[in-house]
Amino acid sequence: MSKNVFVFVEQRDGELQKVGIELLGKANELAKDLGQEVVALLLGENVKDQVEVLFHHGADKVILVDHPMLKEYVTEPYAKAIYEINKKYEPEIILYGASAIGRDLAPRLAARIHTGLTADCTGLEIDEETKNLRMTRPAFGGNLMATIVCADFRPQMATVRPGVMSPMDTDHTRTGELIEEKIEFTDADMNVTIREVAKSESKKKDITEANILVSGGRGIGGPEGFKLLQELADEFEGEVSTSRATVDAGWIEKDRQVGQTGKTVRPELYFAFGISGAIQHLAGMEESDLIIAVNKNEAAPIFDVADLGIVGDLNAIVPKLLEEYRKEKALKEEID
Ligand SMILES: Cc1cc2nc3c(=O)[nH]c(=O)nc-3n(C[C@H](O)[C@H](O)[C@H](O)COP(=O)(O)OP(=O)(O)OC[C@H]3O[C@@H](n4cnc5c(N)ncnc54)[C@H](O)[C@@H]3O)c2cc1C
């Protein structure tokens, strides 16, 4: 009989990806509702040192598959390993991050295992009566939310976008059981050759990973408006993000977009400059710890979610903010 909530925790270059830690938090809630356990799946080469971190963030068990063929992500060996683990352990649920890797791996497994997959979920809960997993995601271009169940097949599988779920608070006293699984790989399992791993030169961090986001909307007036925001982001060691209006206008790349059809973010500090606060934008950022909004329209809906709101022209306010911040920083450096 199927049991337990499994989370595929992605690592790149031996570093755990944040979305996996977020999913462990959600898996904990689901496992409690089912009276079951959370099992983290960790695949890679020489990644055993990350196992403790998974216990600290909610895993009751970790299944580790350590093999040279799993050093870099390649669809076939990863799919084979999880397929074999699924056959042996029969999970009730498997969660994946909706990252490039998760989006490649999960559908492949769904087809191989012959089960369903709900992609890009924004909500997961256990149905009190049936104990099925209710998987909610935007549908029809974000115009409605659809809740999907996979009643007849197991495991129930979902991908979840980074930033949507909250990680558990780190608990250094938590421990668990480590299971080291051996998978028999043959040369035929490696059906591609990696000749070179070319990393992009970009200094930019993914906006879902940033602690501070300096977001600008149509109110910044044009693509050159981002230069000033970039200056502020550099001072704060944050990243620039945006609303859909500026992406649609071609002022900035789509990977900076926050919102229902962009990314869900949860930074410690979110600046919203010249962003009206449409519901689709709020859906992607309202869980931020501290929101500071600047808008010249005092009735802008962004002020409904802002912790601090400034009514005024951002072209006057951003340079002042930069000036004051630099003054403070210089003073602090002098004192230190
Ligand atoms: C299905 C669907 C999905 C969508 N998904 C997303 C999404 O993922 N993310 C998203 O952001 N939107 C999304 N949208 C679009 C959303 O509805 C809004 O159109 C969009 O968020 C508006 O962007 P904005 O706030 O930058 O622009 P506007 O609505 O034009 O607002 C500009 C704001 O700037 C202020 N302003 C102007 N000049 C200044 C100044 N000098 N100083 C200070 N303030 C100034 C104005 O008062 C105004 O409030 C979606 C829409 C649909 C229908």
Short mmCIF file of all heavy atoms in Angstrom, two decimals, residues 3-38:
data_model
loop_
_atom_site.label_atom_id
_atom_site.label_comp_id
_atom_site.label_asym_id
_atom_site.label_seq_id
_atom_site.Cartn_x
_atom_site.Cartn_y
_atom_site.Cartn_z
N LYS A 3 2.41 4.80 0.80
CA LYS A 3 2.45 5.66 1.99
C LYS A 3 3.64 6.63 1.93
O LYS A 3 4.61 6.39 1.21
CB LYS A 3 2.43 4.86 3.29
CG LYS A 3 3.68 4.09 3.63
CD LYS A 3 3.50 3.64 5.07
CE LYS A 3 4.70 3.08 5.75
NZ LYS A 3 5.55 2.13 5.24
N ASN A 4 3.48 7.69 2.69
CA ASN A 4 4.50 8.74 2.88
C ASN A 4 4.55 9.78 1.75
O ASN A 4 4.22 9.50 0.61
CB ASN A 4 5.90 8.16 3.10
CG ASN A 4 5.96 7.40 4.43
OD1 ASN A 4 5.13 7.65 5.32
ND2 ASN A 4 6.88 6.49 4.56
N VAL A 5 4.99 10.98 2.20
CA VAL A 5 5.07 12.12 1.28
C VAL A 5 6.53 12.30 0.90
O VAL A 5 7.37 12.61 1.76
CB VAL A 5 4.51 13.40 1.94
CG1 VAL A 5 4.54 14.56 0.95
CG2 VAL A 5 3.10 13.17 2.46
N PHE A 6 6.85 12.07 -0.36
CA PHE A 6 8.22 12.16 -0.85
C PHE A 6 8.45 13.53 -1.48
O PHE A 6 7.57 14.08 -2.14
CB PHE A 6 8.50 11.08 -1.90
CG PHE A 6 8.77 9.71 -1.33
CD1 PHE A 6 7.92 9.15 -0.39
CD2 PHE A 6 9.87 8.98 -1.75
CE1 PHE A 6 8.17 7.88 0.14
CE2 PHE A 6 10.13 7.71 -1.23
CZ PHE A 6 9.28 7.16 -0.28
N VAL A 7 9.66 14.05 -1.27
CA VAL A 7 10.03 15.32 -1.92
C VAL A 7 11.34 15.09 -2.66
O VAL A 7 12.32 14.65 -2.07
CB VAL A 7 10.22 16.44 -0.88
CG1 VAL A 7 10.71 17.73 -1.56
CG2 VAL A 7 8.94 16.71 -0.11
N PHE A 8 11.33 15.37 -3.96
CA PHE A 8 12.58 15.32 -4.72
C PHE A 8 13.30 16.65 -4.45
O PHE A 8 12.81 17.71 -4.83
CB PHE A 8 12.30 15.14 -6.21
CG PHE A 8 13.52 15.38 -7.07
CD1 PHE A 8 14.60 14.52 -7.00
CD2 PHE A 8 13.59 16.47 -7.92
CE1 PHE A 8 15.74 14.74 -7.76
CE2 PHE A 8 14.72 16.70 -8.69
CZ PHE A 8 15.79 15.84 -8.61
N VAL A 9 14.43 16.56 -3.75
CA VAL A 9 15.17 17.78 -3.39
C VAL A 9 16.34 17.93 -4.36
O VAL A 9 17.26 17.12 -4.38
CB VAL A 9 15.68 17.73 -1.94
CG1 VAL A 9 16.41 19.02 -1.60
CG2 VAL A 9 14.53 17.52 -0.97
N GLU A 10 16.22 18.99 -5.15
CA GLU A 10 17.23 19.21 -6.18
C GLU A 10 18.52 19.76 -5.61
O GLU A 10 18.47 20.57 -4.68
CB GLU A 10 16.63 20.31 -7.05
CG GLU A 10 16.71 20.12 -8.49
CD GLU A 10 15.94 21.25 -9.15
OE1 GLU A 10 14.70 21.23 -9.09
OE2 GLU A 10 16.57 22.15 -9.71
N GLN A 11 19.65 19.30 -6.17
CA GLN A 11 20.92 19.94 -5.83
C GLN A 11 21.62 20.30 -7.13
O GLN A 11 21.43 19.63 -8.15
CB GLN A 11 21.79 19.02 -4.96
CG GLN A 11 22.08 17.65 -5.52
CD GLN A 11 23.18 17.60 -6.57
OE1 GLN A 11 24.04 18.47 -6.60
NE2 GLN A 11 23.13 16.60 -7.42
N ARG A 12 22.35 21.38 -7.10
CA ARG A 12 23.18 21.73 -8.25
C ARG A 12 24.57 22.02 -7.75
O ARG A 12 24.71 22.80 -6.80
CB ARG A 12 22.62 22.95 -8.98
CG ARG A 12 21.27 22.65 -9.61
CD ARG A 12 20.76 23.78 -10.45
NE ARG A 12 19.34 23.54 -10.71
CZ ARG A 12 18.62 24.21 -11.57
NH1 ARG A 12 19.17 25.18 -12.27
NH2 ARG A 12 17.34 23.94 -11.73
N ASP A 13 25.56 21.38 -8.32
CA ASP A 13 26.94 21.49 -7.84
C ASP A 13 27.01 21.19 -6.35
O ASP A 13 27.74 21.85 -5.60
CB ASP A 13 27.51 22.89 -8.10
CG ASP A 13 27.65 23.18 -9.58
OD1 ASP A 13 27.79 22.21 -10.34
OD2 ASP A 13 27.59 24.36 -9.96
N GLY A 14 26.18 20.26 -5.88
CA GLY A 14 26.21 19.85 -4.48
C GLY A 14 25.47 20.80 -3.55
O GLY A 14 25.43 20.58 -2.34
N GLU A 15 24.87 21.84 -4.11
CA GLU A 15 24.13 22.80 -3.25
C GLU A 15 22.64 22.56 -3.38
O GLU A 15 22.10 22.53 -4.49
CB GLU A 15 24.43 24.23 -3.69
CG GLU A 15 25.55 24.84 -2.91
CD GLU A 15 25.79 26.28 -3.32
OE1 GLU A 15 24.81 27.05 -3.45
OE2 GLU A 15 26.96 26.61 -3.52
N LEU A 16 21.98 22.42 -2.23
CA LEU A 16 20.53 22.19 -2.25
C LEU A 16 19.82 23.43 -2.78
O LEU A 16 20.21 24.55 -2.47
CB LEU A 16 20.02 21.91 -0.83
CG LEU A 16 20.59 20.67 -0.15
CD1 LEU A 16 20.05 20.56 1.26
CD2 LEU A 16 20.25 19.41 -0.95
N GLN A 17 18.79 23.21 -3.57
CA GLN A 17 18.02 24.33 -4.10
C GLN A 17 16.88 24.66 -3.13
O GLN A 17 16.26 23.76 -2.56
CB GLN A 17 17.48 24.00 -5.49
CG GLN A 17 18.58 23.68 -6.50
CD GLN A 17 19.53 24.85 -6.72
OE1 GLN A 17 19.14 25.89 -7.24
NE2 GLN A 17 20.78 24.70 -6.31
N LYS A 18 16.64 25.98 -2.99
CA LYS A 18 15.69 26.46 -1.99
C LYS A 18 14.30 25.83 -2.13
O LYS A 18 13.63 25.54 -1.14
CB LYS A 18 15.59 27.98 -2.14
CG LYS A 18 15.15 28.71 -0.92
CD LYS A 18 15.33 30.20 -1.15
CE LYS A 18 14.41 31.03 -0.33
NZ LYS A 18 14.34 32.42 -0.80
N VAL A 19 13.89 25.60 -3.38
CA VAL A 19 12.52 25.09 -3.58
C VAL A 19 12.33 23.74 -2.88
O VAL A 19 11.24 23.45 -2.34
CB VAL A 19 12.15 25.04 -5.08
CG1 VAL A 19 13.00 24.06 -5.87
CG2 VAL A 19 10.68 24.72 -5.27
N GLY A 20 13.37 22.92 -2.84
CA GLY A 20 13.26 21.61 -2.18
C GLY A 20 13.02 21.78 -0.68
O GLY A 20 12.23 21.05 -0.07
N ILE A 21 13.68 22.77 -0.09
CA ILE A 21 13.52 23.05 1.34
C ILE A 21 12.10 23.57 1.61
O ILE A 21 11.44 23.20 2.59
CB ILE A 21 14.58 24.08 1.80
CG1 ILE A 21 16.00 23.58 1.48
CG2 ILE A 21 14.43 24.45 3.27
CD1 ILE A 21 16.43 22.35 2.24
N GLU A 22 11.62 24.41 0.70
CA GLU A 22 10.24 24.92 0.83
C GLU A 22 9.25 23.75 0.76
O GLU A 22 8.28 23.69 1.53
CB GLU A 22 9.93 25.91 -0.30
CG GLU A 22 10.72 27.20 -0.20
CD GLU A 22 10.70 28.03 -1.48
OE1 GLU A 22 10.05 27.62 -2.46
OE2 GLU A 22 11.34 29.08 -1.50
N LEU A 23 9.51 22.82 -0.16
CA LEU A 23 8.58 21.69 -0.32
C LEU A 23 8.58 20.78 0.90
O LEU A 23 7.54 20.20 1.24
CB LEU A 23 8.93 20.90 -1.58
CG LEU A 23 8.61 21.60 -2.89
CD1 LEU A 23 9.01 20.73 -4.07
CD2 LEU A 23 7.12 21.91 -2.98
N LEU A 24 9.73 20.66 1.57
CA LEU A 24 9.76 19.85 2.79
C LEU A 24 8.82 20.43 3.83
O LEU A 24 8.15 19.71 4.58
CB LEU A 24 11.18 19.77 3.35
CG LEU A 24 12.17 18.88 2.60
CD1 LEU A 24 13.55 18.99 3.22
CD2 LEU A 24 11.71 17.42 2.59
N GLY A 25 8.75 21.77 3.90
CA GLY A 25 7.84 22.44 4.83
C GLY A 25 6.40 22.05 4.54
O GLY A 25 5.64 21.67 5.43
N LYS A 26 6.02 22.12 3.27
CA LYS A 26 4.64 21.77 2.88
C LYS A 26 4.39 20.28 3.11
O LYS A 26 3.34 19.88 3.61
CB LYS A 26 4.42 22.13 1.41
CG LYS A 26 3.02 21.95 0.94
CD LYS A 26 2.14 22.86 1.73
CE LYS A 26 0.71 22.79 1.58
NZ LYS A 26 -0.04 23.74 2.36
N ALA A 27 5.39 19.45 2.75
CA ALA A 27 5.25 18.00 2.89
C ALA A 27 4.97 17.64 4.35
O ALA A 27 4.20 16.72 4.65
CB ALA A 27 6.51 17.30 2.41
N ASN A 28 5.56 18.40 5.27
CA ASN A 28 5.33 18.16 6.69
C ASN A 28 3.87 18.33 7.07
O ASN A 28 3.32 17.52 7.80
CB ASN A 28 6.17 19.16 7.49
CG ASN A 28 7.13 18.44 8.36
OD1 ASN A 28 6.81 18.19 9.51
ND2 ASN A 28 8.28 18.05 7.80
N GLU A 29 3.26 19.40 6.56
CA GLU A 29 1.84 19.63 6.84
C GLU A 29 1.00 18.48 6.27
O GLU A 29 0.10 17.95 6.92
CB GLU A 29 1.38 20.93 6.18
CG GLU A 29 1.92 22.19 6.81
CD GLU A 29 1.59 23.40 5.95
OE1 GLU A 29 0.56 23.39 5.25
OE2 GLU A 29 2.40 24.34 5.96
N LEU A 30 1.30 18.11 5.02
CA LEU A 30 0.51 17.07 4.36
C LEU A 30 0.67 15.74 5.09
O LEU A 30 -0.31 15.01 5.31
CB LEU A 30 0.95 16.91 2.89
CG LEU A 30 0.84 18.16 2.01
CD1 LEU A 30 1.44 17.89 0.63
CD2 LEU A 30 -0.61 18.61 1.87
N ALA A 31 1.92 15.44 5.48
CA ALA A 31 2.19 14.16 6.16
C ALA A 31 1.46 14.10 7.50
O ALA A 31 0.94 13.04 7.89
CB ALA A 31 3.69 13.98 6.34
N LYS A 32 1.40 15.25 8.18
CA LYS A 32 0.68 15.28 9.47
C LYS A 32 -0.78 14.95 9.25
O LYS A 32 -1.37 14.15 9.99
CB LYS A 32 0.79 16.68 10.10
CG LYS A 32 1.98 16.78 11.02
CD LYS A 32 1.90 17.99 11.95
CE LYS A 32 3.25 18.17 12.58
NZ LYS A 32 4.08 19.19 11.91
N ASP A 33 -1.37 15.55 8.22
CA ASP A 33 -2.79 15.31 7.94
C ASP A 33 -3.06 13.86 7.55
O ASP A 33 -4.16 13.35 7.73
CB ASP A 33 -3.29 16.24 6.82
CG ASP A 33 -3.35 17.68 7.30
OD1 ASP A 33 -3.29 17.89 8.54
OD2 ASP A 33 -3.45 18.59 6.46
N LEU A 34 -2.04 13.19 7.03
CA LEU A 34 -2.21 11.79 6.62
C LEU A 34 -1.75 10.82 7.70
O LEU A 34 -1.94 9.61 7.58
CB LEU A 34 -1.38 11.52 5.35
CG LEU A 34 -1.85 12.17 4.06
CD1 LEU A 34 -0.78 12.03 2.97
CD2 LEU A 34 -3.15 11.54 3.57
N GLY A 35 -1.08 11.36 8.72
CA GLY A 35 -0.49 10.49 9.75
C GLY A 35 0.67 9.69 9.17
O GLY A 35 0.86 8.52 9.51
N GLN A 36 1.44 10.30 8.28
CA GLN A 36 2.55 9.59 7.62
C GLN A 36 3.84 10.38 7.77
O GLN A 36 3.89 11.36 8.52
CB GLN A 36 2.20 9.40 6.13
CG GLN A 36 0.95 8.55 5.96
CD GLN A 36 0.58 8.32 4.50
OE1 GLN A 36 1.29 8.74 3.60
NE2 GLN A 36 -0.54 7.65 4.29
N GLU A 37 4.88 9.96 7.04
CA GLU A 37 6.19 10.58 7.20
C GLU A 37 6.63 11.31 5.94
O GLU A 37 6.13 11.06 4.85
CB GLU A 37 7.23 9.51 7.53
CG GLU A 37 7.07 8.97 8.94
CD GLU A 37 8.19 8.04 9.33
OE1 GLU A 37 8.49 7.11 8.54
OE2 GLU A 37 8.76 8.23 10.42
N VAL A 38 7.64 12.19 6.14
CA VAL A 38 8.20 12.95 5.02
C VAL A 38 9.53 12.29 4.63
O VAL A 38 10.40 12.08 5.48
CB VAL A 38 8.46 14.41 5.42
CG1 VAL A 38 9.16 15.16 4.28
CG2 VAL A 38 7.17 15.10 5.81
#
